[in-house]
Amino acid sequence: MALSAADLQKRHELEGAPDPFPSLSEAIPVKAKAAPRSSAVELDTGSESAFPSLAPSAPAAAPTNSVWGAAAGPRIKPVVNKQPVFADSFTLSAIDLSNAGKDGKSATLGEVMKQVMAKYKVKLEASGNQKVKQTTFHIKAESQKELEKAKRSLLALLSPVITLVINAPASTIASIIGPKGATLKQIRDQTSVRVDIPKRDTLAPNGHGNGIASGKATPSQDDDDEEPTIPVTLTGPQPLAYEAQALLNQIISSKTSKSTQRVRDIPAHVLPFILARRAFFLEAAQGGDIKLGLNQAEREITVSGDREAVVRVIETIKSTIEALKSTLTSVKIALPKRQHRLLVGTAVDEILTKSKCSVVVPKPDETSDEVTVWGQAADLAGGLGAVMERANSKYIQEFLLPGPVTLSRQLLTYITRIQYVKTLTATHPGVSIFLPSEKAQALNVDLVGEKADVDAVVSKISALIGKLIGATRDVTIDWLLHRVITGKNAKKLKQFHDAHNVQVYFPVESAESSTVLLVYDPFSANASSSPDEKKKHLDDVEKEILKLAKDAADVKSETITVDKRWHEAVVGQSGTTLNAIIGEDKTLSIKVGSEVGDASTEDVILVRGVSADVDRAVKEIRKIVEDAKNDEIVNSYSTEFDVDKEYVGRIVGSQGAGVNKLRDQLGVKVDVSDDDEKEKEGGKKKKAAHQKSKVKITGRKENVEEAKKRILTQIERLADETSEVLKIPSQYHPSLIGQSGKYAIRLEEKYGVKITFPRQSDGGEGKTRENLKSDEVLVKGGKKGVAGAKSELLDAVEFEKETNNIIKFTVPSRSVARILGRGGASINEIKVNTDVHIDIDRSTEDGGITNITVRGTKKAIAAAKAEILAISDQVGEETTVTVAVESKFHRTLIGAGGQGLRELVARCGGPSDPKLQAGLIRFPRQGEPSDEVRLRGEPKLVNKLKAELEKTVATLRDRVILGVDIPAAQHRAFIGRGGQHLNDLQTKYNVQVQFPGSRSYSQVGEPENASDLEGAETGNIVKVSGSRAAAEAAIADLKGQVKPPAPEGISRSISVPLKYHHAISQQGSFFRTLRSFGVQVDQSAYPEKSAVPARPVPTSTPSARIDEAADDEATGIQWEVVSNYQNAEEGDSTWTLKARDQAGLEKAEKYVKEAIEHAERMSHVGFLTLPDRSSFPRIVGSKGSNVARLRNETGADITVSRDDNTITIVGTEADILAAKDAIVKMAADSGRPRRGQD
């Protein structure tokens, strides 16, 4: 088998090596496809193994040397012109030759290749792979242009022809077509694909309805805010059609990024299943930014956001709907109409969640009592069970309104107008009340809730109806007179109630009802129960109101014959003309055409109302019709004139904007057509002359002449048009254009010019029709306008050069946090002070350096740089160390409000500025299982902080608790007035001393020397905590101050429950009162638990749905109530009262017993948490005066916390609620500005 050179190269792994026998026309080999070897392979063309002979194997004759010397080569080397060779390869998986033949005959692949090679002067090879059924083509050409042409031609001949449709938004059609069709022509030439865009006049226009009813014009409403789309059809070879599709999609996406679409008329039984799949639809957006909205009444879902994501989500929703339509089945069950109330709203969601089935109930107006359950066949049994369970979940009672239908409707109207349902639900929130609709046949009131509550509501409704029997009456007054009566006689209508106790209810105007309801007010204090009295007052009011109707005006109707073609003129655009005829008082009803209800003709208009207004309206309608007829005659005037064809595009405007403007302003029709007849007659000579187009204007004569004048003026202005290219560096272009082009547009409108900035491409050239360079700006328009725009542009460039200076510098990354400041405060302050723009870029290869860019004037950027560097210089070399500190010491070290840390930094010579102190010392956050404290800053300062911190911690670790026995009667003397003696003692020995009864006494812990205090009474033990030496010294001092016990006097014992101890003691004030009686108290036991129960932890459960709005934000005030003494310790303490005399002892005993009774009544504890502490001073008052006043007024004990925003209130449930309301009111008043303040 003969092998080609290419086959031999493959066999010997030399594929891609230079051709050993290049033609003289090829100088540069084709690029190798395989990766080159590490060392060059020298091809031996004389090798028999590489290039075997095609002749029979025989000994080769020895070559004879040429007389010219073959070894040395030819003396004269041929001159070969080396030309570059361009090559490309592509693979087709399916070849369709049906389009390549002629006269209905298919061509072969070889014929097609020969045709392409002959036409484009290229070399073409093909190789097939039968396994995968693919054919690979290799093309070589002398120019890239010819290569591309040949490739596209070959693809067009060998690929099947397909048709694609793109729904392009109407606003992008102009961009797809391009100026004078340039963009569309480029796509067609590049891809050889036919692109069809339907003409505007072939698209169905949006229609307007002019139906008028109810005496007022109904404004037209837009269907939605979706942008209409136009189908663009692509027809051509498959790969080229896809290429054209990609080009068009690129244009569309560049012009539109956001979209809103709707899925309408979702079947009612499918909608709940769609809502439950919200997360699935969001996933279909594939990361795109979309929002889902629901219109429950219209059963439609709105999707808005990124256009491509919206399309994907819409398609997913539609496909899901179709799938559910085919898979959902239903079963019907009959349930009483009253139970339907329990199967709507949130009940549908609960049933769907529980059983995977949905329920659909008939409308309240329908007579059917069948309920339909929808779901998969396997789930219907569970769905029926869930529906029945829900339908029987509450007690329902039907309350039938009594009397004939007329009386029932009167009662229903009155209950509705006084909003009696709202009154009932306010007093019985557990009952839901449903009134029947006005169109319902059975006038029943449905009540849903607990039976006891429903019975109570039924009782109230029955009582009201009993009072209304004989107290209602309907009066017929033409509804057109209602506005006149209520407007002129409002005061007199009010007097009906004062004089006769009768209320008058006019129906809403939109109902066009002539029935007025009179009701003898049953809620009035002077209402009579006598039927005769009610009838007398109703008769009197009926006479008065009928007299008012008679005095108001007389009403009449008139039907005029108007041809249907003139109805639109009478109605006007969006009903504006008809609204003008009806007037503001709306005492007229005008119905046009089919609304009249005349089956014989639609050429009528019915006018009904007050006689004078009817006569006026009929006169105006006839005048409008007459004017419309005259306008048709007047608007028949037209004129024609020729214009140069080059100006037609500017006259018509983008998407017809120019002629549309003339039509809207002057009411004329402008048609432009090419003069093809004259062009054909002129032949070749016509091409040299200016081509003409004919302009025809039709309308009212004076308007036509004005439109012609404007067009000719515009042409004169265009003839004076000139253009100029300005050299402006591209860095200033964004500032000159402005946001959304506002600056450029302002200049264009001001000078009547067109300003074109280049759009940068990859090659640095501008991608505009004018082929502008990156630093060129084109200004086109009238000479005067171009000069003005040029001057202003150049002035703006000079201004930008001055103000748009840029400086870049670096700072150490460790100083960035200081430069930014907390929440960006420092950097924002620099921006405001210097009026510059600052960008901080941390994405550098060197993590230790951060780039900063500053933009602004030269002076401003220099000042900003100086401030930034000044901050950076303050941040020296930083180090970070950690110190192990047990978490039990953290709060002590931090101190109240961080005071301990500030004092620690000050002792070590650190900065006093809080901004500079931030970050020096960091303790673990609350809840973090860590004992490490981080110190970060300058090494010298960090070392000092570490040493001081370790010293303080060592002191805390050496802390001990010792107890000392001091008679309780002397505790007050040791504490001193205002705690003066106690503070002095603690300061002197640097210890903490806790006396029994103090808040933290039980939290300190047990003393180490408890064994030494076994015989001492519990109420006498004082705890001293601190270093051992200091604690022992303080105890010695305390023992030295103990006075010998006084001689015993009269005493008596009282048993006091331990749980009441804190409530009775009142933080020691109770014992001070006893001492004023001359009585000392010894206690056998003290409570170990805290005074009040702990505050409960709030819990909340969030929920979200597609059709739910976000909840309102909380007010910030929290209120929790718990039972007092719920976890209090049991047992009693024996109080021994020691007095100097019998009178003091009896007085103290009575005082203690009263305190115990008071503590028993303090059954509840309320925790009131305010948003902040700003109102606390007002709540406490001067020296606690407000708190003391509230205690006296409410009887509750009030404690205002010093550590947080919580106020603790203890007392009976009623007392703490009264105190809470008073405090909340005081807090609200404190937030209001005082009189005289801004």
Side-chain angles (χ1 to χ4, degrees), residues 931-950:
D931 290 340
E932 291 187 349
V933 177
R934 190 195 67 190
L935 309 176
R936 186 181 69 181
E938 298 177 4
K940 186 176 179 181
L941 177 60
V942 167
N943 293 333
K944 288 184 179 180
L945 289 172
K946 179 182 179 183
E948 185 67 21
L949 189 59
E950 290 175 342

Side-chain angles (χ1 to χ4, degrees), residues 9-285:
Q9 286 180 316
K10 291 180 181 179
R11 172 174 291 183
H12 296 282
E13 298 181 350
L14 295 173
E15 185 178 7
D19 191 344
F21 304 105
S23 65
L24 295 178
S25 62
E26 295 181 358
I28 297 178
V30 180
K31 285 186 177 181
K33 289 186 179 179
R37 296 194 176 193
S38 58
S39 59
V41 178
E42 184 176 354
L43 185 63
D44 184 5
T45 59
S47 172
E48 183 64 17
S49 61
F51 297 95
S53 172
L54 298 179
S57 92
T64 58
N65 292 334
S66 169
V67 295
W68 295 99
R75 298 180 186 178
I76 303 174
K77 295 183 179 179
V79 178
V80 180
N81 293 327
K82 295 183 179 181
Q83 297 182 353
V85 175
F86 297 87
D88 194 6
S89 299
F90 62 92
T91 301
L92 292 179
S93 57
I95 295 178
D96 185 358
L97 296 171
S98 59
N99 300 319
K102 294 181 179 180
D103 301 328
K105 297 179 181 180
S106 300
T108 64
L109 178 59
E111 291 173 348
V112 172
M113 293 174 63
K114 289 180 181 179
Q115 179 182 344
V116 173
M117 288 190 290
K119 184 175 181 180
Y120 297 103
K121 309 299 182 186
V122 297
K123 290 186 177 182
L124 186 59
E125 294 180 359
S127 58
N129 188 332
Q130 294 300 324
K131 281 187 177 181
V132 295
K133 296 183 179 180
Q134 292 181 343
T135 304
T136 302
F137 295 90
H138 305 276
I139 308 177
K140 295 179 182 179
E142 295 180 357
S143 68
Q144 185 68 31
K145 187 176 181 181
E146 293 297 327
L147 180 70
E148 292 294 331
K149 287 183 178 180
K151 180 179 178 180
R152 293 184 182 281
S153 177
L154 189 61
L155 286 172
L157 293 171
L158 300 181
S159 301
V161 176
I162 63 172
T163 300
L164 302 175
V165 178
I166 301 176
N167 290 317
S171 61
T172 63
I173 295 300
S175 300
I176 293 174
I177 297 174
K180 297 183 180 179
T183 306
L184 188 60
K185 183 177 183 300
Q186 182 181 356
I187 295 174
R188 288 172 175 169
D189 294 343
Q190 180 177 336
T191 62
S192 302
V193 173
R194 179 180 175 184
V195 183
D196 293 325
I197 301 176
K199 294 183 179 180
R200 183 179 300 178
D201 53 5
T202 62
L203 299 175
N206 293 327
H208 292 19
N210 290 320
I212 305 299
S214 304
K216 56 184 178 181
T218 303
S220 63
Q221 297 178 349
D222 295 333
D223 293 341
D224 53 51
D225 53 2
E226 298 178 26
E227 185 178 2
T229 58
I230 295 177
V232 179
T233 307
L234 310 177
T235 306
Q238 187 177 32
L240 301 180
Y242 287 137
E243 182 182 353
Q245 183 187 37
L247 292 174
L248 290 178
N249 284 334
Q250 184 178 0
I251 294 174
I252 292 172
S253 62
S254 66
K255 295 297 179 181
T256 58
S257 60
K258 299 292 183 182
S259 172
T260 297
Q261 295 189 31
R262 289 178 172 83
V263 181
R264 291 187 173 88
D265 299 326
I266 302 174
H269 68 280
V270 176
L271 183 60
F273 295 93
I274 296 297
L275 298 180
R277 287 167 167 77
R278 180 177 183 272
F280 173 66
F281 298 140
L282 292 176
E283 290 179 1

Side-chain angles (χ1 to χ4, degrees), residues 393-505:
S393 62
K394 291 185 179 181
Y395 175 74
I396 305 175
Q397 180 171 338
E398 284 185 343
F399 184 89
L400 180 64
L401 293 177
V405 176
T406 303
L407 175 60
S408 299
R409 295 198 180 279
Q410 291 173 355
L411 296 175
L412 177 61
T413 301
Y414 178 70
I415 291 173
T416 304
R417 294 296 292 270
I418 67 172
Q419 297 183 347
Y420 192 56
V421 170
K422 187 175 180 181
T423 303
L424 291 174
T425 53
T427 57
H428 299 82
V431 180
S432 299
I433 305 172
F434 302 95
L435 297 178
S437 65
E438 296 181 356
K439 298 180 181 179
Q441 296 179 354
L443 299 179
N444 299 330
V445 179
D446 293 340
L447 299 100
V448 181
E450 298 298 330
K451 187 175 186 307
D453 295 335
V454 171
D455 292 342
V457 173
V458 169
S459 176
K460 290 188 176 181
I461 296 177
S462 300
L464 174 63
I465 292 177
K467 295 179 181 179
L468 290 174
I469 298 299
T472 60
R473 182 175 300 179
D474 285 339
V475 180
T476 302
I477 299 175
D478 197 301
W479 69 272
L480 290 169
L481 298 178
H482 292 180
R483 180 185 287 266
V484 178
I485 295 173
T486 56
K488 294 181 179 179
N489 303 281
K491 188 174 181 180
K492 193 165 188 178
L493 292 174
K494 186 178 180 182
Q495 290 175 352
F496 287 158
H497 185 271
D498 299 337
H500 300 281
N501 195 39
V502 174
Q503 292 176 320
V504 183
Y505 296 99

Side-chain angles (χ1 to χ4, degrees), residues 865-933:
K865 178 182 179 182
E867 289 192 31
I868 293 173
L869 292 179
I871 297 175
S872 176
D873 292 341
Q874 294 175 2
V875 182
E877 189 67 29
E878 288 187 347
T879 185
T880 301
V881 298
T882 57
V883 181
V885 179
E886 292 85 340
S887 57
K888 63 182 179 180
F889 301 139
H890 290 181
R891 184 178 296 275
T892 304
L893 292 172
I894 295 172
Q899 183 61 31
L901 293 183
R902 289 192 288 271
E903 292 176 354
L904 178 63
V905 173
R907 289 199 302 270
C908 296
S912 59
D913 187 355
K915 294 182 179 179
L916 302 179
Q917 289 180 351
L920 281 176
I921 306 174
R922 182 187 181 277
F923 283 81
R925 296 184 183 275
Q926 189 173 4
E928 291 184 7
S930 174
D931 290 340
E932 291 187 349
V933 177

Side-chain angles (χ1 to χ4, degrees), residues 883-1065:
V883 181
V885 179
E886 292 85 340
S887 57
K888 63 182 179 180
F889 301 139
H890 290 181
R891 184 178 296 275
T892 304
L893 292 172
I894 295 172
Q899 183 61 31
L901 293 183
R902 289 192 288 271
E903 292 176 354
L904 178 63
V905 173
R907 289 199 302 270
C908 296
S912 59
D913 187 355
K915 294 182 179 179
L916 302 179
Q917 289 180 351
L920 281 176
I921 306 174
R922 182 187 181 277
F923 283 81
R925 296 184 183 275
Q926 189 173 4
E928 291 184 7
S930 174
D931 290 340
E932 291 187 349
V933 177
R934 190 195 67 190
L935 309 176
R936 186 181 69 181
E938 298 177 4
K940 186 176 179 181
L941 177 60
V942 167
N943 293 333
K944 288 184 179 180
L945 289 172
K946 179 182 179 183
E948 185 67 21
L949 189 59
E950 290 175 342
K951 178 182 176 182
T952 306
V953 171
T955 302
L956 293 174
R957 287 173 182 155
D958 187 41
R959 188 171 184 172
V960 297
I961 302 174
L962 299 177
V964 59
D965 183 3
I966 297 177
Q970 300 184 30
H971 288 181
R972 182 182 181 188
F974 279 94
I975 295 172
R977 186 177 183 83
Q980 182 64 39
H981 297 167
L982 177 61
N983 292 334
D984 292 342
L985 180 67
Q986 292 181 146
T987 304
K988 179 178 180 181
Y989 296 103
N990 192 21
V991 294
Q992 292 291 325
V993 181
Q994 306 292 338
F995 284 86
S998 65
R999 292 184 179 180
S1000 56
Y1001 182 81
S1002 59
Q1003 300 174 2
V1004 172
E1006 294 300 324
E1008 289 184 0
N1009 59 341
S1011 59
D1012 299 337
L1013 303 172
E1014 289 182 359
E1017 294 184 9
T1018 307
N1020 292 348
I1021 298 176
V1022 177
K1023 298 177 183 179
V1024 181
S1025 57
S1027 65
R1028 185 173 297 275
E1032 291 175 350
I1035 288 175
D1037 193 341
L1038 286 170
K1039 287 181 177 179
Q1041 299 181 38
V1042 175
K1043 297 179 181 179
E1048 292 188 4
I1050 306 172
S1051 65
R1052 187 172 298 176
S1053 297
I1054 299 177
S1055 180
V1056 178
L1058 285 174
K1059 62 182 179 181
Y1060 296 153
H1061 175 85
H1062 294 292
I1064 294 174
S1065 64

Side-chain angles (χ1 to χ4, degrees), residues 728-745:
I728 299 177
S730 59
Q731 68 190 75
Y732 302 120
H733 290 184
S735 300
L736 297 178
I737 296 172
Q739 186 178 6
S740 302
K742 64 179 182 180
Y743 297 143
I745 293 172

Side-chain angles (χ1 to χ4, degrees), residues 301 326 523 583 835 972 1125 1216:
I301 292 177
S326 60
F523 296 105
D835 193 20
R972 182 182 181 188
Y1125 314 128
I1216 65 173

